[in-house]
Every structure is written in structure tokens, then in C-alpha cells.
Amino acid sequence: MLTNYFTLALRNLRKNKAHSFINIAGLSIGMAVAMLIGLWIVDEINFDKVNPNYDRIAAVMEKLTINGRVNTGGVVPLPLETEMRKSYSGDFACIVMTDFPDKHILKMGEKSVSFVGNFVSSEAPDMLSLRMLKGARGALVGPGSMLISSSVAKAVFGKDDPMDKVITLDNKADFKVAGVYEDLPVNSSFHEVAFMAPWDFFVANANWLGRSPTDWSDNSLFMYVQAKDPADIPRLSASIKNIVRDHAAPGITKLKPQLFLQPMSKWHLYSEFKNGINTGGRIQYVWLFGIIGGFVLLLACINFMNLSTARSEKRAKEVGIRKAIGSLRGQLIAQFFGESIFMALIAFAFSLLLVWVSLPFFNELAGKEMVLPVGNAFFWLLTLAFVGFTGILSGSYPALYLSSFKPVKVLKGRFKAGRSAARPREVLVVLQFAVSVILIIGTIVVFRQIQFAKNRPVGYSRDGLLYLETATTDLHDHFAAFRNDLLKSGLITEVAESSSPATAVWNNRGDVSWPGKDPSMSADFGNIGVTNGFGRTVGWQFTAGRDFSANFHTDSAGLVLNEAAVRYMGLKNPVGQMIKVGRFNLAVIGVVKDMVMGSPYEPVKQTIFRLGSGPFDYINVRINPAVSAHDALRTLEATCKTYAPAIPFSCKFVNEEYARKFTNEQRVGSLAGVFAGLAVFISCLGLFGMASFMAEQRVREIGVRKIMGASTTDLWVLLSRDFMLLVGISLFIAIPLGRYFMTNWLMHYQYRSTMPWWIFAAAGAGALLITLLTVSYQGIRAAQMNPVKALRSE
């Protein structure tokens, strides 16, 4: 029986080559898309699961209520470590403190390299389950030890054994290599950490932390804990809730600080908080692309259903004869399901090839490093189930429909599918194009939102602006000479230091007061230290007052506000007003237009700029627009080598860094665009097959109409009209749904674009044009046939 089914399936495949090609091509593309999206979803869901302690690790986070709005952050004060170890050490297997992962200079002999690293507590290697290639996890003890990744070992020591060798960190201190660990995988929250240095050294030597080990107001560090039992995390989260409130000064307690534990399982997919509530994050994209993958596969299955049922009259006689000689309906259903599964198997083989070819491109587009797990037995079991599901889904309607034919009607020649038989196919075509149009609308809206944010006025000039990250103080110690040399070259127009780059605000403070401030109001300002010339370097645009100047010695007691800060304070004439920042009274000397330093989709944060002497972490450089950027960079590198010869030269263009802020949305838009294009292509394949079959079915009608005087245009309109009507109906469904879904998506952004009417008009016109082009070939070809050939058998 099975052999007979296989033979029949193969015979039908050969007999109907065009029909089979369309089915296999559509199913192959649909299955390939579903597999690619499946790989992406698996990678997202398995983020951080490489760590055996995955379900027991949590980050300590804090909620602060500022002016009625709850802000959630992942940084905590230094004294929290002492309190946690004192009161909760028995509840946790590990309590780990870390600084912000940052680039550092690692030097050994004459070789210097730059890698991202962390100062961490000694328990960190155990908590992260580092796979040690040399040494042991417990070797990170004492202030002079260091663990390095295999990448650092290769870059610094080559093939030599790194153990017990000395590395100089940031030209400040020497550390002995106590162990080498395997690079952490890309789908890990700590994958950038290329070395780990002792936490005690960091606390003892970080001047900006050294003001007081009991200061509960300085939230600037990270804390991670490992529970002894995963079930204890909710209880422990509740028990640590009021630690900061019970120890902090009144200025902090009025913000109602609340600590809580965010499990590692939520770090990647549930990272967004709004008003203190975890609202999701990347999980929305997991659902989005999962739904898209399912719909693209469904479109391919619809093609199979449509083309199989459309050819019902050609298979009716076969069904009638089989029933007449004793075949049961169940056997016929099994036969038709067998054919669809056989077709799905062939399509799966081609889809594997498509995935293998397209995976490098898809990885680049998605920012992943995924591979086909061909060596995993579970993968093959899953794909077999996937093939079976696809075969049954695509073959379900044809199997039930074809097996229902009455043998008496069929064999007497009275069987005719009729108009009603086409209704389900028409519904499926409408569904196909409705999904395709929704994807087209979504793609247009995503790219429009990205462009809208890119075109937002940023309040400074990004062109020709770059910055250096200074892990050491070498350039700062010689900053005046360094700056003068660059300015004398004529290739650089201005140089200045700052505590944050032009694309971020790394420090915030709340101890700010101003005239007329409501006593119940909590302050929240971005805080940036700068040197003279910063405004000229970045291109500040003043709306009032002036810039810092070396000619005014009193500017050390002055500050510059952005427009958002003026609005926040409610100052009508801000210049000259006295603002208290901490224990200092500072005079407002100028107001600048809002600089978009944070997310381009969010309102600009109120920020104060203060004149300082550093050392600051960033040196900002403005290239002369009249010279070659290549020549300017070469001079900049040479000057850096003059004053910091041991430091590898590295700079970042602000334009490029600003563009990185759009990476996530651009990936979503690009992926949605690719999948929308494939969905349209699959729909057009089915439409082409349907148009071909309909033209073949109506060949006699076309012949009669030609003889009666119908023109080619009349016949083309006749054959195209029905399909255009179906697509028109799909537009009435897709446009409201597309608007609803994309309105909800845009609500995630405070600074968002609109959805003008032309987006929906363009999507609709595009769908109608594609439909017209797809069916026109078959329509015109049928209209130009010789009617004698069509009617000679009549």
C-alpha cells in the first residue's frame, strides 16, 4: 500500500511539473523562513542558559520614585555589599560586585592591546561557571591576580604560556596571570568580558569611589547574587526590599528606594521597565518573528491547498474509480496526506540547502552567530515533526475535499466543481495577501520611524566629530601640549575633555536646587564635566548667555544648562541665576539647545554642564572640514603616540556611534522587509499557478469570446478581474489590522513618527500592481491563443 502511494505521488509529480514546481518552491521558501526564524528564537530563548547556574542568578536592581514616576535601574551603592554580606550571606551562595565593563589597556613588554574587562568579586568565576583552560576559578584572590580569556592570552602572549606572567593594566598597576578561561559565548550577558581583575583593588584605587564607603547616594556599581535554591529568589527579593531605605540619608529615603532581584532568565528578553513595572523587552520581537514565521509557512501551505483543490476535476475520475473498486475514504485521505508529506519532504531538502546558503547573511543581519545543529539528534527529530506538520497542514483541506467526491456523479460525467468549490480557495488567497500587505505596512512604518528619529535635530554638529576613550591619564597629564600640537597642525580645529561622550550621559545627580524649587520635588539631572573648548568642539548652539571661556576665571563656579533643564526648573531668565549643585553654588552662564545624547526615541534629559579639570575619560576632537579625514586621523594618531606611546590608538566617530543607536530597529526593519518580500513572493507563486490553471480551465470560453469579437484587452480584464477583486478585499482587512498593530508598536517610543494615509495607499497599490503583473502574463497568453485550437474538439 505504501509503495503504491509513493508510486502515485511520484507519478503526479512528474505529470504536473509546473504545479509541482510552484508547490515545492513555495514550501521550500516557507520552510526555510520558518527554520531561520526558529533558529533565531531558540538563540534568543537560550540566552545565558550556557551558565549552569542560570536559574539561580539574579541582578540586584533598585526602584526610585522621582516626582511621582518610578524609575528602575541596575546600579547600586557601594555600602550595599557590606550590608548584604553581613545580613544575607547565609541566603546566597555568591554575592558579586562589579564595575561597569569598560575598555582597558593591557601591556606586556612592548606589546599593548585594548580589551573590555571587569573588576569583580572573587566569587564571580564560580558564579559564571568559567571554563578554565589554565589555573582555577578560585585563583582570583589578592589584589595582584588576574584571570584572562583565551582571546587575551593569544593577543598578548601568542603561543607562550601566560601563567604567572605579569600584565600592566592601564599603565597603573601590575597583575599576575592566575588563570585562563574559555571565551564566553556571544549569547551571554558577559560575553564582552575578556579579563577579570580583583574587586578589592578597584575599590582601593578608584578615586571617584573613595569619598566614603558609607555613601548610600552614589548608585554606580553592579551587584549579582546566586541563590542556593531557585525557588528562594522571590522570597529573597522581598527580604532585601528596604535595605537602602533603612540606611540612606533623608534625601534618598524620600525617593522611596526599593531593591529587588531580577532573575537572569529575564535579563535579555524582559529588560524594559515603565513606571516600575516590567513591561517586556526583546520578547515582543520573539513573538513578532514567531508569528511572521508561522504566517510565511502558512502562505506556502495555502498555495499547496489552492493548487491541489483547483485541479480537483482532473483528479475526480481517479477518486471515482478508486471508490468504485472498493477504496475507503480513509484510504484516499491517507493517500493524499502521503502525497503532501512526500512533497514536504522534497521541499524540506531544498529548504535545508536554502538555510545553509543564507545563514551567514541572516547572521550578519540579525547580529548572531547561529549554526545549523546537524550533529544534534533532537534537531532531526524536531525537523521530522516539522515536515510532518507542514505536510499534514498543507494536505489537510485537499485530502478531505478530494476524498469526498461521489463516484456515481464522477463516473457518469456529471461532476463539476462549480463556483461554490472555489470559495475556500478565494478565502485563502484573501488571507495570503492580507498577511503580505500587513507585513509591507509594518516594514514601511519601521523604516519611517527610524528615519524620523535620524532626522531629529541633535543640537550639535556630528560631522567631523570624534572622541578618544582614555583608559590612562597619559594624555590628560599632557593635555595642554597635546591640544596645542593638534591645533597647530591646522587639521584639527578644537579639542576638549569631557566626562561623557557626545552620545551618552554616564552620570546623574539629584542634589540640585534652584530658585523657586518646590520642596517636595525631587531633582534628576544628567551631570557632565567638561573643559574649556568643549562647546566649540561639539558645536553647541546657544539660545542664551555664553560658553565657558579661559578668559573668565569665575567660570569655574559657573555652569551651562540645556533647554530641557531650563524647562524642568521653570526658569524664565536663567542666565545669572544661582544653582546649588551638591554643596556648591554655581551661576548659570549659558543655555544651549538640547543635545540628543541618549536614545533618539526619548525626550532629551535635563542636563548640567560644569567646568572641571579632570581627569576625564573622553577627549573630543573636531576635524577641520576643509582637510582630508585620513590626514587628520594620521596626525591625531602620531600626536597620541608622542604623549602616550604605550597606548594603542583608537578613536570613535560620533556619527557612527550615533548610528548604532538605531541598530535594533534597523535589524527589525530589515528582517521584516526580507520576510515581507518572501511572503509576497510566495503569494505571487500561488497566484501565478492559480492564474495558469484558471486560464487552462477557461480556454474554450476564451475561444468562444474571441470568435464573438472580444479583444485581447477584454479577455485580459476578464481573467484578471477576479484576482484583483480578491486582493482588494484583502486590503480592506489588512489596512485596519496593519494600522492597529503598528500604532501599538509606535507607542513604545515617546518620540515617534505618524502614519500618514500614503503608507496604506502605497502598500495597497503595490499589492494590486504585483497581482496585476503576476496574472497578466497568463491572461495575455491565454487571450492571444488561436481559438481554432481551443474549439476544434467541439
Side-chain angles (χ1 to χ4, degrees), residues 472-486:
T472 70
T473 61
D474 297 50
L475 292 177
H476 171 78
D477 293 341
H478 305 91
F479 182 72
F482 171 73
R483 178 175 179 271
N484 286 335
D485 286 355
L486 288 174

Side-chain angles (χ1 to χ4, degrees), residues 164-222:
D164 297 324
K165 299 282 178 64
V166 174
I167 289 179
T168 302
L169 182 66
D170 295 336
N171 280 355
K172 293 177 183 175
D174 293 335
F175 293 87
K176 184 181 289 186
V177 178
V180 180
Y181 60 88
E182 186 178 292
D183 287 358
L184 291 165
V186 175
N187 64 339
S188 162
S189 296
F190 300 93
H191 76 275
E192 288 186 337
V193 179
F195 71 87
M196 296 182 185
W199 176 249
D200 292 342
F201 177 89
F202 175 78
V203 174
N205 292 275
N207 295 329
W208 56 278
L209 274 176
R211 60 188 182 194
S212 172
T214 59
D215 185 359
W216 287 85
S217 66
D218 186 6
N219 286 359
S220 52
L221 303 168
F222 298 94

Side-chain angles (χ1 to χ4, degrees), residues 6 20 41 80 151 186 232 243 282 286 334 479 520 530 557 634 766:
F6 176 76
S20 300
I41 290 174
L80 180 62
S151 292
V186 175
D232 289 340
I243 292 179
R282 287 180 66 89
V286 170
F479 182 72
S520 64
V530 301
R634 189 167 54 189

Side-chain angles (χ1 to χ4, degrees), residues 51 53 57 94 96 123-129 190 224-226:
N51 192 327
N53 301 318
I57 295 174
C94 294
V96 172
E123 305 102 307
D126 281 323
M127 186 187 77
L128 297 178
S129 302
F190 300 93
Y224 304 99
V225 295
Q226 180 180 319

Side-chain angles (χ1 to χ4, degrees), residues 421-462:
R423 292 295 181 207
R425 293 197 295 273
E426 291 171 351
V427 170
L428 293 175
V429 169
V430 168
L431 176 61
Q432 272 189 319
F433 272 88
V435 171
S436 299
V437 170
I438 289 172
L439 289 176
I440 292 170
I441 291 171
T443 302
I444 295 173
V445 171
V446 169
F447 278 111
R448 180 175 161 80
Q449 169 67 3
I450 294 169
Q451 200 56 47
F452 180 74
K454 282 184 175 181
N455 293 338
R456 180 182 185 181
V458 295
Y460 66 100
S461 175
R462 298 194 306 267

